[in-house]
Amino acid sequence: MSPSFVCGVSRSILGQPWRWRGAGDGDAGFQPDALVDQLLLGRGVPRDDLERHRRPTLRAFMPDPSGFRDMDKAAERLADAVEAREPVTIFGDYDVDGATSAALLVRLLRQVGSDPGTYIPDRLMEGYGPSGEALVRIAQGGARLIVTVDCGAQAFEALDMAKAAGVDVIVIDHHKCASRLPAGLAIVNPNRLDEEAGAAAHGHLAAVGVAFLLGAALLRTLRGRGFFARRDEPKLIELLDLVALGTVADVAQLKGLNRAFVTQGLKVMAQRRNIGLAALADAARLTRAPTCTDLGFALGPRINAGGRVGKSDLGVRLLVTEDPAEAEAIAAELDRLNEERRAIEALVCEAAEGLCAAQGNRAVVTVAALGWHPGVIGIVAGRLKERLHKPAIVIALDEDGVGKGSGRSISGVDLGAAVLAAKDSGLLVAGGGHAMAAGLTVAPGRIEALAEFLDARLAEDVARSRDDRALTLDALVAPRGVCPDLCDALDSGGPYGAGWPAPRIAAGPVGIVKADIVGNGHLRLIAAGDDGRRIKAIAFRMADTPLGEAILAAPPHRKLWLAGRVRRDEYGGNVAAELHLEDAAWAD
């Protein structure tokens, strides 16, 4: 049976309860199928739907695109443009979701004989989303149809100007919508307030996922018109590498259709069909098939670096090029910009952390300063959120006192809706987002009022989310169970990411054989069970925490349970497993 502390009766060295995910006691032993079922059940999959979720495929999860409001209208208009060879421009955001959404539509339209242009606004000069001036310039350049991706849901004035200029605009977005929609020809967004329940259930899609559905609707429309009697039909599935990258990098919840997108997209990416993605993997020194972690921490940040501290269109150019030399050059530039971004981020993060002490007990951390680089404030907000376990908004002020802010939230707290409410209350010049992330523009002298508004609106949700915090475990194993076979079994329940957390295990009881400090405050240890089997573990940046101090001082005879995530260790060509330690609890 499980030790009583695992059920939350006692607390760990770090003072947090340990709980099982789901209804079971976590003891699945070494039956891989049973362990995978336990992982799926613990993540909310109904028992009668396990088979579909074990191997998520598009066939099993793909909805009918026509179920989304305005999707058929958008597909018909885009098909008209393809057949008439009308000039089309894809207007994207400067982040990974925007870049992959734009690249997907560009690559697909090229395959059906169109030659679309692209427009990615400059983060510093133009800010987020379409401006009316930009849309009018595009129209004056000859485009008769503009498709905005990952932006546009709140672009009321811009779309009014585009309509007056005689250009049609299709909006493909996933950000929160207001009750009133902008004057586009078609607004395709599962988060429309008037969306039907079936489509609204896909509100967790990233914009690139919505763009993929538009691609499917476009091909179906062209097929119905007999368009492919004269040419080969593109294989939309070959663009799933872009969908996987944008979905993971945008921290979209990996449930349902998104799991299918990422599962199948990783397979496509491993084939290195996209020259730009292959060059980026080489620049990131990835020598194996990519994983979800690689998308979020190696490839995504490099594409983001272009929009944050470099040229905003570098990501799209990389993802659509067919020239290996150009791909290699852009990938190298993005790699360099990513290093520059990290240096800038470190400086802003240090300054922002210094301001956090003045926040008191506010539910939402809101910090601002003159001179912060707007390209890194979203990352810094994410760092503060992780450190303080509460939503965080970081605002860069310009010389006139106008603030450009970016926020990140915690599970159970809808920051995007709160920012929209602040905008509707007159506290913001502009603002929007989704549950876990938001952007805003605030007028001079309004930051304190904004902070008070968000604190009042979200205090109960934040308190509830923080009270529910616990170290959630998926399996209990003996020391001998921390092995490559366990890694394989746990991997079978993936891919893991936002909304589908990577499994965490408890292993023990063990005694500490050796423990020391390595690198920048990392704790490295070797522990052994009563059977003599040893576990290698590392706790990153935890040497000076109560956990590190307790393990460093632990006598060999005193037993512990170790909790964390198991990772495959292939150093030196030997295949083993190690535990990435997050907490521990005394077994006596």
Side-chain angles (χ1 to χ4, degrees):
M1 293 295 293
S2 309
S4 61
F5 70 81
V6 171
C7 299
V9 175
S10 300
R11 300 182 79 83
S12 70
I13 290 174
L14 290 180
Q16 57 186 333
W18 290 7
R19 299 174 186 160
W20 291 123
R21 192 186 309 276
D25 68 358
D27 190 0
F30 266 105
Q31 303 174 36
D33 290 343
L35 180 55
V36 171
D37 285 352
Q38 180 173 300
L39 295 173
L40 298 178
L41 291 168
R43 284 153 183 77
V45 176
R47 187 172 291 277
D48 61 2
D49 202 20
L50 286 173
E51 187 58 38
R52 189 168 67 118
H53 286 265
R54 286 192 190 101
R55 297 172 182 81
T57 64
L58 286 189
R59 182 182 297 275
F61 285 94
M62 185 81 167
D64 182 353
S66 295
F68 293 76
R69 288 190 181 274
D70 283 1
M71 181 69 83
D72 288 343
K73 185 188 297 185
E76 292 285 349
R77 179 64 183 89
L78 200 50
D80 290 344
V82 168
E83 290 192 314
R85 295 187 177 275
E86 282 185 82
V88 178
T89 295
I90 310 300
F91 188 111
D93 189 21
Y94 35 65
D95 69 357
V96 183
D97 192 16
T100 52
S101 300
L104 184 148
L105 291 181
V106 168
R107 295 181 75 91
L108 180 61
L109 288 171
R110 284 178 178 175
Q111 291 179 60
V112 294
S114 183
D115 186 23
T118 58
Y119 188 100
I120 310 297
D122 182 272
R123 180 189 293 265
L124 298 182
M125 302 302 295
E126 299 178 83
Y128 168 78
S131 67
E133 293 77 11
L135 297 183
V136 170
R137 283 198 305 272
I138 293 170
Q140 290 172 344
R144 307 317 309 151
L145 174 63
I146 300 172
V147 183
T148 72
V149 289
D150 197 28
C151 57
Q154 297 288 325
F156 296 97
E157 182 180 349
L159 266 64
D160 284 341
M161 292 177 65
K163 186 175 183 179
V167 62
D168 291 333
V169 179
I170 294 171
V171 174
I172 304 298
D173 205 353
H174 69 134
H175 293 98
K176 295 285 184 179
C177 291
S179 55
R180 181 172 70 92
L181 295 173
L185 174 75
I187 312 294
V188 184
N189 186 335
N191 288 305
R192 284 177 55 154
L193 297 182
D194 62 346
E195 190 56 275
E196 298 292 337
H202 292 88
H204 60 288
L205 293 180
V208 70
V210 184
F212 183 89
L213 295 178
L214 173 62
L218 170 63
L219 293 183
R220 182 169 63 184
T221 300
L222 290 172
R223 190 185 311 124
R225 297 181 181 186
F227 184 81
F228 297 117
R230 307 184 298 275
R231 62 191 308 143
D232 292 336
E233 181 173 340
K235 296 180 179 178
L236 189 61
I237 197 170
E238 293 180 354
L239 299 176
L240 280 175
D241 49 2
L242 297 172
V243 183
L245 176 56
T247 297
V248 173
D250 211 52
V251 202
Q253 293 189 28
L254 296 191
K255 62 181 183 180
L257 179 58
N258 277 347
R259 281 191 72 227
F261 279 153
V262 175
T263 298
Q264 304 307 321
L266 285 170
K267 295 176 183 178
V268 175
M269 195 177 295
Q271 298 170 11
R272 295 171 65 93
R273 294 175 181 271
N274 187 302
I275 291 173
L277 276 178
L280 193 65
D282 292 340
R285 293 162 287 284
L286 291 178
T287 59
R288 48 165 172 71
T291 65
C292 260
T293 300
D294 297 326
L295 303 189
F297 293 97
L299 303 183
R302 284 170 168 80
I303 291 179
N304 258 334
R308 293 188 185 280
V309 298
K311 296 180 180 178
S312 60
D313 66 344
L314 284 175
V316 172
R317 287 171 52 199
L318 175 75
L319 297 176
V320 303
T321 186
E322 297 295 344
D323 181 346
E326 181 183 27
E328 183 178 355
I330 295 175
E333 175 67 0
L334 288 172
D335 190 53
R336 184 192 67 78
L337 289 170
N338 191 50
E339 291 301 314
E340 181 181 333
R341 182 271 306 168
R342 292 177 60 169
I344 296 172
E345 173 199 329
L347 293 174
V348 175
C349 194
E350 181 180 5
E353 288 178 351
L355 295 176
C356 287
Q359 293 293 302
N361 292 320
R362 272 185 173 157
V364 180
V365 174
T366 306
V367 293
L370 177 67
W372 284 350
H373 196 299
V376 302
I377 55 176
I379 303 175
V380 174
R383 300 272 189 250
L384 295 181
K385 179 258 296 188
E386 291 295 332
R387 178 172 174 265
L388 301 172
H389 308 293
K390 58 177 66 175
I393 294 177
V394 179
I395 300 172
L397 300 175
D398 65 19
E399 294 180 353
D400 296 323
V402 176
K404 298 286 187 179
S406 187
R408 298 293 183 269
S409 194
I410 59 178
S411 178
V413 181
D414 192 337
L415 185 60
V419 166
L420 273 181
K423 178 188 172 187
D424 292 341
S425 299
L427 291 170
L428 296 174
V429 176
H434 49 79
M436 300 301 288
L440 56 88
T441 302
V442 57
R446 302 292 281 168
I447 293 176
E448 186 64 23
L450 171 65
E452 291 177 357
F453 176 90
L454 294 174
D455 185 65
R457 182 180 176 91
L458 297 177
E460 290 186 7
D461 290 343
V462 172
R464 188 180 306 111
S465 177
R466 288 166 64 86
D467 287 343
D468 288 343
R469 285 180 59 224
L471 199 73
T472 309
L473 304 174
D474 292 281
L476 174 70
V477 299
R480 67 179 181 278
V482 182
C483 63
D485 287 344
L486 178 63
C487 295
D488 293 341
L490 295 176
D491 286 347
S492 297
Y496 299 105
W500 197 267
R504 189 182 287 115
I505 69 158
V510 296
I512 304 300
V513 176
K514 179 182 178 182
D516 57 4
I517 300 173
V518 297
N520 188 21
H522 309 315
L523 176 69
R524 179 178 61 185
L525 64 123
I526 297 175
D530 292 338
D531 58 1
R533 296 295 292 270
R534 295 191 169 194
I535 298 174
K536 291 173 55 180
I538 186 166
F540 294 105
R541 295 176 294 278
M542 297 189 75
D544 60 352
T545 68
L547 175 65
E549 294 168 358
I551 288 179
L552 288 168
H557 64 272
R558 193 171 186 194
K559 304 298 183 182
L560 302 101
W561 288 86
L562 305 178
R565 293 189 163 103
V566 183
R567 295 289 185 265
R568 186 180 298 276
D569 179 11
E570 298 180 353
Y571 181 76
N574 297 316
V575 180
E578 70 174 15
L579 184 66
H580 287 194
L581 188 65
E582 297 177 63
D583 202 352
W586 300 112
D588 50 24

